Amino acid sequence: MACTNCSTGSKDGSPKGCKNNGTCGTDSCNKLTVFDWLSNMSLPGGEAPFDCVEVRFKNGRKDFYRNTDNLTLSIGDIIATEASPGHDIGIVSLTGELVKMQMKKKRVKDDSEIAKIYRKASQRDIDIWREARDREEPMKVIARELAIRLNLEMKISDIEFQGDASKATFYYTANDRVDFRQLIKDFAREFSTRIEMKQVGFRQEASRLGGVGSCGRELCCSTWLTDFRSVNTSAARYQQLSLNPQKLAGQCGKLKCCLNYELDTYLDALKELPDLDTKLYTEKGDAYCQKVDIFKGNMWFAYANDNAHWHMINAEQVKEMLALNKNKERVSSLEEYVTEDTTKEEVAKNFENAVGQDSLTRFDAPKRKKRPNNNNRKKKPATANSPEGKVAPKAKMIIKPGGAVPVKEAAPAKEGGRNTDAGAKKNNRNNANRNNKNRNNKNNNNRNTKPGGNEDKK
């Protein structure tokens, strides 16, 4: 396959590495793939199939080759193509009439000299190609060390071996022109092969290496973007984006290509709005535009002597004010044309909870409250030294037939100005005796008044 992880790893032709048959998405397995939407259509009678095919090499590099021997080729076949010198190994990425459209798009003339296809790759060709691909990574490390040793301001980003391992192409990036004549000699002595140096731009380097952007998707330049249009900071200004180079720059260090995707839509919307440098003349002073909401059609203005307070005005009303200023008439003030910002009110008004309940513990089982059992509860007498003794004791109640009567407790005996435990115990014992007597009297009264009691029997 196109990447090292998916290259043929066994004699039966099954891929090694991720074992996804070329769809793993790493190292150009799916870089710049093309869907042949004309594959199900048959040619008219008497028409011969187009004799050129599109061949893909490492990291999405593509070229067109002529099928002079009329080989039966399909997408995914490994073939040996013409190269200088020797031959190269590539994978067929497109066949049929759609190749003619691709050549027209890339301005490749059909009648020009196009390299030809030698044959379908044999197992020996594939083995040599695979061994050459395995040498690329360790060679890249050594090549970078040699470039650093010569103090060359260049970065070797990738190495690509030819299919027959007779030539190695070194791709590098540099800001200025680099004299690498001595470097080529060192490479030839170190690697014992033919060396070719090829400079690429920073965008081309990112497209060859691939990666994941800040959006979480694979880079556009390595998956489907074929042409690199110039991106300017004006594209960010038209879209009201912050001119922060860390956010606007991509993997290549240049401005992101996606800044151009929605630029046309913003330019069409800006045609209906006044210019960003609009100036309004009022009786309170001159006002300047501070901010524009393109799709809502709102503009914010502030007086020249009070830049802290902005006034939001609709674009249609701004046009009316400009028409008055054109007739040399001043508007009284901006406050008369201010549009209320109801965005927050609408959000708060239309907000509804989809669940219907806001409590996070709505699914928890309710806790049962324990009922106090006064009969089994025994209170310990409070002493002067205990914490309970410091709190004012509650008044005790005596239940009598006429009702409950509070009982006054006797003050504990004092000895030398301090409370003693003996006095507290005596008072508690007296209170307990009174409670027992009252309880016995109550039981006797209830027994005598009960229907069917002893008095009825007598």
Side-chain angles (χ1 to χ4, degrees):
M1 298 299 171
C3 68
T4 306
N5 293 334
C6 295
S7 59
T8 304
S10 61
K11 294 182 180 180
D12 58 353
S14 62
K16 70 172 185 178
C18 60
K19 299 181 180 180
N20 282 331
N21 297 324
T23 59
C24 62
T26 61
D27 198 9
S28 80
C29 265
N30 62 339
K31 283 185 180 180
L32 305 178
T33 55
V34 180
F35 176 72
D36 189 2
W37 49 275
L38 295 177
S39 59
N40 296 330
M41 300 179 65
S42 59
L43 293 173
E47 289 289 335
F50 193 58
D51 59 346
C52 290
V53 296
E54 186 184 61
V55 183
R56 182 185 67 190
F57 299 93
K58 182 184 176 182
N59 287 332
R61 181 174 65 90
K62 293 183 179 181
D63 206 346
F64 300 99
Y65 292 88
R66 193 179 300 279
N67 186 8
T68 56
D69 297 334
N70 295 326
L71 300 174
T72 303
L73 300 176
S74 59
I75 297 176
D77 290 342
I78 303 175
I79 59 175
T81 61
E82 182 182 357
S84 177
H87 68 273
D88 201 355
I89 301 296
I91 302 172
V92 178
S93 59
L94 195 63
T95 60
E97 296 297 320
L98 197 58
V99 180
K100 187 185 297 184
M101 301 178 66
Q102 290 289 94
M103 294 176 65
K104 184 178 180 181
K105 179 181 178 182
K106 296 183 179 180
R107 298 178 181 180
V108 178
K109 296 182 179 180
D110 186 15
D111 56 354
S112 61
E113 295 183 0
I114 300 176
K116 63 180 180 179
I117 298 174
Y118 286 150
R119 62 186 181 275
K120 285 188 176 181
S122 62
Q123 187 62 41
R124 185 174 179 275
D125 295 333
I126 295 175
D127 293 338
I128 296 174
W129 175 48
R130 181 171 57 84
E131 292 175 1
R133 293 287 299 273
D134 294 338
R135 294 173 54 192
E136 292 173 355
E137 285 300 323
M139 282 181 60
K140 184 166 62 176
V141 177
I142 299 174
R144 289 177 176 177
E145 293 177 355
L146 294 176
I148 294 172
R149 192 179 304 169
L150 295 175
N151 296 325
L152 298 178
E153 295 182 358
M154 59 184 297
K155 176 187 175 184
I156 299 175
S157 59
D158 196 14
I159 300 175
E160 182 180 359
F161 259 103
Q162 197 168 281
D164 56 356
S166 62
K167 184 178 69 173
T169 303
F170 289 76
Y171 295 92
Y172 71 95
T173 56
N175 294 323
D176 300 324
R177 189 173 181 178
V178 180
D179 185 7
F180 46 77
R181 289 177 291 181
Q182 182 62 35
L183 183 63
I184 293 177
K185 295 178 181 179
D186 295 343
F187 284 171
R189 183 174 59 254
E190 181 71 25
F191 305 125
S192 300
T193 186
R194 183 167 179 164
I195 304 299
E196 181 180 351
M197 304 294 294
K198 191 171 184 179
Q199 185 177 2
V200 295
F202 293 99
R203 295 183 186 274
Q204 286 78 8
E205 179 190 15
S207 65
R208 287 184 60 84
L209 299 180
V212 179
S214 58
C215 58
R217 300 173 63 91
E218 292 188 60
L219 298 181
C220 298
C221 56
S222 62
T223 52
W224 61 271
L225 192 62
T226 57
D227 56 340
F228 297 98
R229 295 171 54 189
S230 60
V231 185
N232 301 323
T233 54
S234 59
R237 293 192 182 95
Y238 285 133
Q239 301 178 48
Q240 307 293 323
L241 298 176
S242 175
L243 299 179
N244 187 354
Q246 294 181 353
K247 294 183 178 180
L248 297 180
Q251 298 280 3
C252 57
K254 305 294 183 180
L255 293 178
K256 295 180 180 179
C257 297
C258 55
L259 292 176
N260 287 334
Y261 295 167
E262 298 179 354
L263 180 60
D264 296 337
T265 305
Y266 278 88
L267 292 177
D268 292 340
L270 285 172
K271 292 179 181 179
E272 305 296 330
L273 299 177
D275 296 335
L276 298 178
D277 55 352
T278 300
K279 183 178 180 181
L280 299 177
Y281 300 96
T282 63
E283 296 178 357
K284 294 182 64 174
D286 298 342
Y288 297 90
C289 181
Q290 304 291 334
K291 178 184 173 183
V292 177
D293 191 339
I294 299 176
F295 296 105
K296 288 186 178 180
N298 296 327
M299 303 180 70
W300 281 262
F301 287 86
Y303 291 107
N305 55 1
D306 188 9
N307 292 328
H309 296 84
W310 294 5
H311 304 279
M312 186 179 71
I313 305 175
N314 191 271
E316 298 298 331
Q317 295 178 345
V318 173
K319 292 180 181 179
E320 296 178 2
M321 299 170 70
L322 290 175
L324 294 175
N325 292 335
K326 190 174 182 180
N327 297 330
K328 297 182 179 181
E329 297 181 8
R330 285 183 174 267
V331 185
S332 59
S333 63
L334 295 177
E335 286 76 7
E336 295 182 359
Y337 297 89
V338 169
T339 304
E340 295 182 0
D341 189 5
T342 59
T343 305
K344 296 181 180 180
E345 297 180 359
E346 292 177 358
V347 172
K349 183 178 179 181
N350 299 329
F351 174 75
E352 293 181 359
N353 190 1
V355 179
Q357 297 178 359
D358 294 334
S359 177
L360 297 177
T361 60
R362 58 185 180 273
F363 297 113
D364 298 342
K367 295 182 180 180
R368 296 182 180 180
K369 295 182 179 180
K370 295 182 179 179
R371 295 182 180 180
N373 190 359
N374 297 327
N375 296 331
N376 298 330
R377 184 179 298 174
K378 295 182 180 180
K379 294 182 179 181
K380 295 182 180 180
T383 60
N385 297 330
S386 62
E388 290 81 359
K390 298 180 182 179
V391 183
K394 295 182 180 180
K396 294 185 178 180
M397 306 295 291
I398 298 175
I399 300 175
K400 291 184 177 182
V405 179
V407 177
K408 294 182 179 180
E409 296 183 358
K414 296 182 179 180
E415 183 178 354
R418 296 180 181 179
N419 294 335
T420 59
D421 295 338
K425 290 180 180 179
K426 185 177 181 180
N427 291 333
N428 293 334
R429 194 180 300 110
N430 295 333
N431 293 332
N433 293 334
R434 290 194 194 97
N435 293 335
N436 292 333
K437 289 181 181 180
N438 293 330
R439 193 179 295 108
N440 294 333
N441 294 332
K442 182 178 179 181
N443 293 334
N444 293 331
N445 293 332
N446 294 333
R447 191 181 297 111
N448 295 331
T449 59
K450 185 178 180 180
N454 296 332
E455 294 180 359
D456 295 338
K457 287 182 181 180
K458 293 179 181 180

